Amino acid sequence: MAKPIRILLQTTIPTAEDDWNITRFSLLRDYLASQKNEAGEPLFEVEGRDRTPDESGSDPVLSSLGESDFDEIWLFGVDCGNGLTEKEGAGIAAFHQRGGGILATRDHEDLGISFSNLGSSCNSVSNSHHFHTQNPEPDPERLCIDDTYTTDITWPNYHSGANGDCQKVTVVEPVHELMRTPSGVVENLPSHPHEGAISVPPGASHARAIATSSSKVTNRPFNLIVAFESIEDADGHKLGRAIAESSFHHLVDYNWDPDLGCPSFVTEAPSDRIQKNPQLLEDVKAYVRNAALWLGS
C-alpha cells in the first residue's frame, strides 16, 4: 500500500466557536480525505486542528513540527496579531527546511499578521503577504480601500464578489500544474468581499504569480496565488514547495456552502450562486487536489 501524504490543516487561533476555527474547514478536510489513487488507496491523511498553546504560551505541535511526520501544512492565518509565536514560527521553519510543503493563506487588512513570526527559511512565504500595518504593497496607489461596501474593513481588501459566489480567474502563462483541471484550466474560485494582497517578494526567483482576478468594484487586478518552487537555502537545506493565497475564503465551508454558517461578525449578505450551481466548485476542488499533491512531492 502506498503511503498517503500527511496534511496538517492548522489555524493560527485557539478554538473559538464564534470565529474561523478549524471546524469551519470541514468540507476541505473531507474532500481531501476522500481522494484515492488508481489502486483505490487514500492519497491523503488529513488532520485539522486549532492552535493550542501550552503553559509556555506556544503550541507544542507547531513548535516541534520539524520533527513530525507531516508532509505539508495548510496554515490559515485568522488571527489579528495574537497568533503564531516565534517558537512556533521556528518549528514551522524547521519543517520547511526538511522539505515540508506550506500553504499559507489569510485575508484582508491585518488578518494573519502573525505570519511575520515564521522563521527565516519561510521569509519569502511570509513576505509575499501584504498587511495594513506592516509590509504594505509596494505600489502606493494600492494603499487604499477597494471594498467600499464594508466600511469597517480597510486595505488591503480587494472585492472579488459575495461569499457563496465565484470570481473569474485569469491563469498566468505558462500554465502552472496547480491550475490545470481534467477539462482545461481553473476558471473560477470562490469569491469574497475583501481579499488580502500577495505578491512575489523581491529576490524570490523561485516564485511566481500563477493566478489573478479583478476587483468587482474598481476592476483593479490582484494576485490570487503565488507558487514557490523548492530551492536549496544558504545552509544547504532543500526547502519544501510553498503556496501563498490571497484569502482563506477560497477554502472555507461558508464559501462552498453558505448554509453551513459563519461567525457572527460576518455581516455581508451571501450569494446562493454556488448552491444553485454546485458544479462551480469543481475548479476549486481540482486546485485543492493539485495543491495537496504538489506540496507533498
Side-chain angles (χ1 to χ4, degrees):
M1 178 176 177
K3 182 181 178 182
I5 295 170
R6 292 209 68 212
I7 302 174
L8 174 61
L9 305 180
Q10 175 74 51
T11 73
T12 59
I13 58 169
T15 302
E17 183 176 353
D18 195 29
D19 208 336
W20 296 111
N21 67 71
I22 198 63
T23 66
R24 299 188 186 275
F25 295 85
S26 66
L27 296 180
L28 171 66
R29 180 199 63 219
D30 293 348
Y31 175 73
L32 286 170
S34 74
Q35 297 303 290
K36 303 288 195 296
N37 62 21
E38 293 180 354
E41 302 163 340
L43 276 173
F44 312 113
E45 182 180 317
V46 188
E47 180 176 335
R49 65 189 299 276
D50 293 310
R51 183 173 166 267
T52 308
D54 61 16
E55 61 277 2
S56 73
S58 292
D59 183 304
V61 172
L62 295 178
S63 300
S64 61
L65 196 64
E67 303 161 21
S68 73
D69 60 355
F70 287 108
D71 299 299
E72 52 195 76
I73 181 172
W74 294 35
L75 195 59
F76 305 115
V78 294
D79 66 275
C80 293
N82 57 341
L84 301 174
T85 65
E86 289 187 6
K87 185 176 180 181
E88 292 164 1
I92 295 170
F95 170 78
H96 194 40
Q97 286 178 325
R98 61 117 164 124
I102 299 175
L103 185 152
T105 181
R106 38 173 297 274
D107 204 44
H108 60 261
E109 200 171 337
D110 277 346
L111 271 177
I113 199 166
S114 71
F115 281 2
S116 61
N117 283 335
L118 290 171
S120 59
S121 73
C122 301
N123 279 347
S124 290
V125 178
S126 58
N127 289 338
S128 67
H129 288 272
H130 300 293
F131 302 90
H132 185 73
T133 59
Q134 67 181 38
N135 193 33
E137 290 185 88
D139 180 356
E141 293 188 2
R142 286 180 174 264
L143 307 185
C144 60
I145 292 174
D146 186 273
D147 171 26
T148 55
Y149 299 113
T150 307
T151 56
D152 61 335
I153 291 176
T154 191
W155 55 266
N157 61 356
Y158 294 104
H159 185 91
S160 64
N163 296 309
D165 200 350
C166 280
Q167 59 185 302
K168 295 301 294 182
V169 173
T170 297
V171 174
V172 179
E173 297 285 348
V175 177
H176 195 281
E177 61 188 280
L178 288 171
M179 293 290 100
R180 296 195 181 277
T181 71
S183 59
V185 299
V186 172
E187 297 179 350
N188 298 285
L189 285 177
S191 57
H192 182 56
H194 22 256
E195 301 203 22
I198 57 171
S199 68
V200 176
S205 58
H206 62 303
R208 69 181 181 96
I210 62 171
T212 67
S213 189
S214 297
S215 165
K216 290 190 175 180
V217 175
T218 64
N219 293 317
R220 177 172 282 167
F222 64 96
N223 292 324
L224 290 173
I225 303 168
V226 172
F228 297 79
E229 297 293 339
S230 175
I231 60 168
E232 188 174 292
D233 69 10
D235 297 318
H237 300 110
K238 187 174 182 181
L239 305 181
R241 289 169 165 173
I243 298 169
E245 276 201 47
S246 59
S247 179
F248 64 81
H249 283 275
H250 303 157
L251 306 173
V252 76
D253 289 357
Y254 184 58
N255 290 74
W256 290 19
D257 182 358
D259 282 348
L260 294 181
C262 59
S264 62
F265 51 75
V266 177
T267 59
E268 302 85 12
S271 168
D272 62 357
R273 185 180 174 209
I274 289 178
Q275 289 174 314
K276 290 181 175 178
N277 302 279
Q279 72 276 9
L280 289 170
L281 288 176
E282 292 307 305
D283 278 0
V284 71
K285 289 179 178 179
Y287 162 68
V288 160
R289 189 179 191 275
N290 292 343
L293 290 170
W294 187 73
L295 289 172
S297 62

